[in-house]
Amino acid sequence: MSKKWVYFFDEVAQAEEYVGGDWEKVRGLLGGKGANLGEMVRIGVPVPPGYTVTTEACNAYLDAGETYPEGLNEQILESLETVEAKTGKKFGDPQNPLLVSCRSGGKFSMPGMMDTVLNIGLNDETIKGMIALSGDERFVYDSYRRLVQMFGSVVMLVPDEHFEEVLTAARAKAGVKTDTELSAAEWKAVAEQFKAIFKRHTGRDFPTDPYEQLNLATEAVFKSWFGKRAVDYRNAAGIAHDLGTAVNIQTMVFGNLGNDSATGVALTRNGTTGENRVEGDYLINAQGEDVVAGIRQTEDILKLKEELPAAYDEFYLICRKLEKHYREMQDVEFTIEKNKLWMLQTRDGKRTAQAAVRIAVDFVEEGMITREEAVMRVTPEQIDFFLHPQFDRKSILKAKADGDMLATGLNVSPGAAFGVIALDADLAEKWAKEEGKDVIMVRPETRPDDVHGMLAAQGILTSRGGRTSHAALVARQFGKPAVVGVTDLEIDFSKRQISVNDRVIKEGEWISIDGTEGELYAGKLPTEVPEFEDPDLMKLLSWADEFRKLGVWANADYPADATRALKYGAEGIGLCRTEHMFFEAERMPFVQKMIMTDKTDERKEALAALLPFQREDFIGLFRVMDGLPVIIRLIDPPLHEFLPFHSDLLRELFDLKIQIKDAGTLAAIDTLLAQIRDKETLLQQVELLHESNPMLGLRGVRLGIHIPELTTMQVRAIFEAACIVAKEGVEVHPEVMIPLTSHVNELKVQQAALMAEAKKVMAEQGIEPHYKFGTMIEIPRAAITCDQIAEYAQFISFGTNDLTQTTFGISRDDAEASFLIEYMEKEILPENPFAVIDRDGVGFLMEMAVTKGRAVRPDMECGICGEHGGDPESIQLCHELGLTYVSCSPFRVPVARLAAAHAALRDKKPSSPARKK
């Protein structure tokens, strides 16, 4: 017996048996549309008779050089005879013709990406039978012209605009606005013109043999699997290219047979809000394409209850039946022919993030799914929509139509923001704080000393930088929408303006950025700010918390961040960056004095002045995080980052020297000379601190060993704060993290000195809170020798941004701005390693570190505090590796909570997770 290539809709059980009872494999064999048509037949839903040609047939056809596999044509013809018997009609019969549709149907929904042909079987002879049967000549010629147009454009690749030109001319000649107003005679004339267009472009007459029509349409659907739009869609959606498409041949039913006929599409629940009511559109006396194409103004589905009440009541009950059967909100297509309802398709319905959450929770409360299923049905990306402002969709479409979308860059921090352009941090802060303006800070790139401007701004835009650049990290940390690496953006500081492809916008003028899409717009687009108080979301995340094994902590530098993190469900602070606190205006003079002096006493004086500031910072954090751990990373960046840019100092010196020429008095000259001396001293220190590769230079633990009094001051501030707050009755858990350890002796020396200072403080205060000392794993050598490090470190935290850089040997900002994009386009790298942890390299090192570290210290706390901590794929890896927690920006905490639950519910635990493909 030859291979079975064709299944009737009522043979879905056979298909299920063939693939071993796995419904996903049934979908793979029959396509989503074919499988669901079969399932609807199985549960008693009215479906027009038909059959499905399998995806296996499609792949065999394409593999054989576009030739039918053995037995396929015979099975199609035999199946058609069975459909004839079921309908009492005959394909190609002039008196009682059977008409069919030919539709694509892959395993995964790809709306509009592949081809469909309707009304197959019409020709000059069968038209007569259709007119006699229907008594409606206009309907028949309307159907015929649709066949010629669809067959021409889909099967023979005739440009569709030629057909549309004829329709436009016909409406104009008849003096009507819509196609539905054209008469039978006018449709007959249009059909003849369509056939002439067909012959002119193909060199042959329109095929009158119904079997040839069906054969060519089936082949066209097979070929459309590798059509450009289908390939592009699959690339974007991550759908495999080897699945193939099924072909569904189905008896035509007509919604354009008069006022007792209709066609429509609907969702079984509101796709925007998730409200439990059917929503959709329909048209009386129309075919399905009219609803989708917008040819006529559609009606709300609820009005169908007034126009065709019996059909609507049956339709509503079927919607409830389908939803209960699939245990999912459905997207359905239907046709009513002479008051008889037929269902043409059902599939899982698309929905907004808000609707996804509400529907999942409602389905649990209605007893249709479990809490586990509800958690798995909502994606981490959908949670993100609850946390960031979004532009109004209509405004976006209008801006694009008006040419106001200027450029695109990297979408590093989601959300929408508008504001006036400010080209430096000081101005951004001044305008925002003193004048109450909404500001977008625009810079070539940002540095730590831009933080005050970034905090004041509504959003951040840079012409350089990558996904883990400073701008990206800080933007995500504080929930600021950001677009970075906009290569078309030019900034002219002398003219205080930006330009994008010759479009010039002055400082102080409005722009809008979409950090979710990575888009830059001219002007002020309105935003919608969702509240993170949705009761359904809170309920869903509470269920997620029940299932996850990973802790979810937050990166937070200030009490306000910590408060937000707690609101979003954080269970601790996994990273407090102490260097950010140094950049506040009242502290910078002491920081720069500490850097500039070569005298120990002066350095100690500067540090003594900084101590109260640091102590107050930590007091605030400990009070907010009552009873929860707070990991504080000691100073990490090189000291030159606290000083001005070398190029800025040179420019300022040049300007000052020019001003001397125009100085009118000796006093003015003396003032300028004093300023020049100060700038020259500062320049000399900047040059002294210059390093060819500061990322691998004097920073982290090396800086603490080189200037021990700096980190000793920080530890004193931490423990004084902890003791003060503990005496207030607050439960404190400080954890001191030493950054950038590469050799165990670095940790041994630095930790011994810092623990001595901590014990000294606790003795002075007369109280000893629970505390830990640990280190960051950011260097491959640290991961490889983690068993040695674990002799001293009570915890480790993976700084995956730097660990990725040092593992790959690349600079993240330089790479993302240049070759890394090319690498991903050419599939040299499967994805950006700064966005998703590289399993085979970085993941392998993490696995080694955890294994070796816990061999020495079994209860060792292991976490991650890079931005990967908020990435769902990376969280999956962290779960597999058995980490204690992931830490991310406060705005990613809800996302991480759900992603961690997903990882636990999948619970795949391979033997070597880091190398799992």
Side-chain angles (χ1 to χ4, degrees), residues 379-390:
T379 68
E381 291 75 19
Q382 287 171 323
I383 297 296
D384 209 26
F385 278 96
F386 286 88
L387 307 171
H388 297 276
Q390 300 146 29

Side-chain angles (χ1 to χ4, degrees), residues 201-497:
H201 283 271
T202 65
R204 59 163 294 178
D205 291 327
F206 179 76
T208 58
D209 180 357
Y211 290 95
E212 184 182 7
Q213 292 176 7
L214 179 60
N215 179 63
L216 291 174
T218 301
E219 290 195 58
V221 172
F222 281 161
K223 293 174 185 177
S224 71
W225 177 253
F226 281 114
K228 183 179 185 305
R229 67 178 186 266
V231 171
D232 290 345
Y233 183 94
R234 290 198 297 275
N235 285 336
I239 298 173
H241 294 297
D242 60 355
L243 299 176
T245 180
V247 178
N248 297 287
I249 307 299
Q250 190 170 25
T251 303
M252 284 294 302
V253 290
F254 299 96
N256 56 340
L257 274 172
N259 290 334
D260 57 358
S261 301
T263 189
V265 295
L267 295 170
T268 56
R269 302 203 179 202
N270 187 296
T272 302
T273 66
E275 182 183 353
N276 187 7
R277 70 174 182 86
V278 176
E279 68 161 1
D281 303 297
Y282 77 100
L283 285 171
I284 294 289
N285 194 20
Q287 280 200 315
E289 65 184 280
D290 299 335
V291 176
V292 178
I295 296 171
R296 292 162 54 185
Q297 180 64 43
T298 58
E299 298 288 350
D300 188 297
I301 194 71
L302 295 179
K303 191 177 178 184
L304 185 63
K305 186 175 179 63
E306 301 171 13
E307 297 198 89
L308 298 172
Y312 176 82
D313 289 344
E314 183 183 5
F315 170 74
Y316 180 82
L317 291 175
I318 287 173
C319 286
R320 298 274 72 86
K321 183 175 186 176
L322 289 173
E323 199 175 77
K324 185 175 181 180
H325 178 75
Y326 285 102
R327 303 186 310 132
E328 180 60 285
M329 184 257 275
Q330 294 295 290
D331 174 354
V332 300
E333 296 180 15
F334 67 93
T335 287
I336 301 168
E337 180 182 287
K338 296 290 184 181
N339 288 310
K340 168 62 177 173
L341 173 68
W342 296 97
M343 302 302 294
L344 305 182
Q345 176 169 287
T346 190
R347 61 189 175 194
D348 293 348
K350 307 293 184 185
R351 67 210 73 181
T352 65
Q354 291 88 341
V357 170
R358 178 171 176 177
I359 290 169
V361 170
D362 284 351
F363 271 39
V364 171
E365 296 181 343
E366 292 167 24
M368 283 201 279
I369 63 175
T370 65
R371 290 182 176 186
E372 290 90 339
E373 289 174 303
V375 167
M376 291 299 291
R377 285 188 180 184
V378 177
T379 68
E381 291 75 19
Q382 287 171 323
I383 297 296
D384 209 26
F385 278 96
F386 286 88
L387 307 171
H388 297 276
Q390 300 146 29
F391 285 128
D392 175 74
R393 191 64 192 162
K394 291 180 180 178
S395 301
I396 286 286
L397 294 174
K398 184 177 186 303
K400 289 181 176 179
D402 293 344
D404 285 334
M405 194 185 91
L406 304 180
T408 60
L410 295 173
N411 53 337
V412 296
S413 186
F418 56 76
V420 295
I421 294 172
L423 296 180
D424 63 71
D426 291 339
L427 184 62
E429 184 178 53
K430 179 176 182 293
W431 278 356
K433 289 188 175 180
E434 297 179 15
E435 301 182 27
K437 292 181 178 179
D438 291 323
V439 174
I440 301 292
M441 194 175 84
V442 183
R443 301 284 295 160
E445 60 189 2
T446 64
R447 284 167 52 100
D449 54 5
D450 287 323
V451 167
H452 61 292
M454 298 171 79
L455 291 174
Q458 298 298 310
I460 297 126
L461 175 69
T462 70
S463 59
R464 297 194 292 268
R467 292 190 182 278
T468 52
S469 62
H470 178 266
L473 294 173
V474 174
R476 286 193 288 266
Q477 168 75 20
F478 295 105
K480 301 287 183 181
V483 180
V484 306
V486 182
T487 54
D488 290 334
L489 172 65
E490 295 182 7
I491 304 173
D492 190 332
F493 287 101
S494 63
K495 295 182 179 178
R496 306 300 291 183
Q497 67 184 31

Side-chain angles (χ1 to χ4, degrees), residues 648-758:
D648 290 346
L649 287 171
L650 287 176
R651 186 173 61 250
E652 290 167 8
L653 272 170
F654 179 80
D655 290 343
L656 287 169
K657 290 174 181 178
I658 292 295
Q659 291 175 37
I660 287 180
K661 296 180 180 179
D662 300 323
T665 65
L666 288 174
I669 292 173
D670 287 342
T671 299
L672 289 169
L673 287 172
Q675 292 177 11
I676 288 172
R677 285 192 295 271
D678 290 342
K679 292 291 183 186
E680 286 177 337
T681 301
L682 195 54
L683 179 63
Q684 184 179 19
Q685 190 65 18
V686 167
E687 291 174 343
L688 184 66
L689 292 172
H690 171 74
E691 294 177 296
S692 297
N693 192 342
M695 195 273 288
L696 298 177
L698 184 60
R699 52 171 287 220
V701 66
R702 303 160 193 166
L703 186 60
I705 293 171
H706 185 65
I707 309 177
E709 54 266 36
L710 173 55
T711 47
T712 299
M713 178 277 291
Q714 291 193 297
V715 167
R716 171 165 283 275
I718 291 168
F719 280 86
E720 285 184 356
C723 292
I724 290 169
V725 175
K727 290 177 181 178
E728 297 172 356
V730 175
E731 185 181 346
V732 296
H733 294 279
E735 300 187 17
V736 179
M737 184 157 66
I738 298 168
L740 210 72
T741 296
S742 59
H743 194 288
V744 66
N745 287 342
E746 293 175 308
L747 183 64
K748 180 180 178 181
V749 169
Q750 177 77 150
Q751 186 167 305
L754 298 180
M755 287 187 73
E757 184 69 15

